[in-house]
Amino acid sequence: QVQLVESGGGLVQAGGSLRLSCAASGSFFSINAMGWYRQAPGKQRELVAAITSGGSTNYADSVKGRFTISRDNAKNTVYLQMNSLKPEDTAVYYCNADLEGGSWAYDYWGQGTQVTVSS
């Protein structure tokens, strides 16, 4: 059974930093793109950052210059370094990964981790 397990959320003051991690475990052949999404109360889930298996990245305009996505392919893990956090970054953050097995491909989601930024 494939799982994405997130960690690293919490409460931080504005201007502070947090680092999120998401590790994929289970039986699969490869991981293609990985990414982080977030959903604030009353809002739709939105893409924060994504990274391909080759390391190409893209970011939401609202986080460019403050957040950095990276991955460790040997550990099947994706990270999100969040600096200069703002109250508007408060949301549940979800990890996403496009995994492939021998004859299947599926988009997996983590359970979500709460990030709260106080002003």
Side-chain angles (χ1 to χ4, degrees):
Q1 184 177 357
V2 176
Q3 283 188 317
L4 298 182
V5 179
E6 299 149 347
S7 61
L11 173 64
V12 65
Q13 288 188 331
S17 298
L18 284 174
R19 188 191 194 209
L20 305 183
S21 299
C22 172
S25 63
S27 181
F28 52 88
F29 180 71
S30 63
I31 305 176
N32 298 321
M34 303 183 82
W36 290 95
Y37 290 71
R38 67 186 181 188
Q39 188 167 18
K43 294 187 177 181
Q44 289 189 329
R45 190 173 297 189
E46 63 175 358
L47 174 68
V48 176
I51 184 168
T52 68
S53 57
S56 297
T57 59
N58 69 285
Y59 296 91
D61 287 342
S62 60
V63 306
K64 283 180 180 177
R66 300 188 298 122
F67 291 11
T68 302
I69 189 170
S70 61
R71 62 191 284 173
D72 184 334
N73 292 328
K75 296 182 178 180
N76 296 324
T77 299
V78 63
Y79 306 96
L80 186 67
Q81 178 65 44
M82 303 184 293
N83 298 329
S84 302
L85 282 160
K86 304 175 181 180
E88 50 263 45
D89 294 318
T90 295
V92 178
Y93 284 70
Y94 296 92
C95 172
N96 173 266
D98 179 18
L99 306 181
E100 288 187 4
S103 59
W104 57 266
Y106 195 75
D107 217 27
Y108 284 87
W109 292 89
Q111 79 283 0
T113 185
Q114 178 69 46
V115 171
T116 302
V117 185
S118 63
S119 56

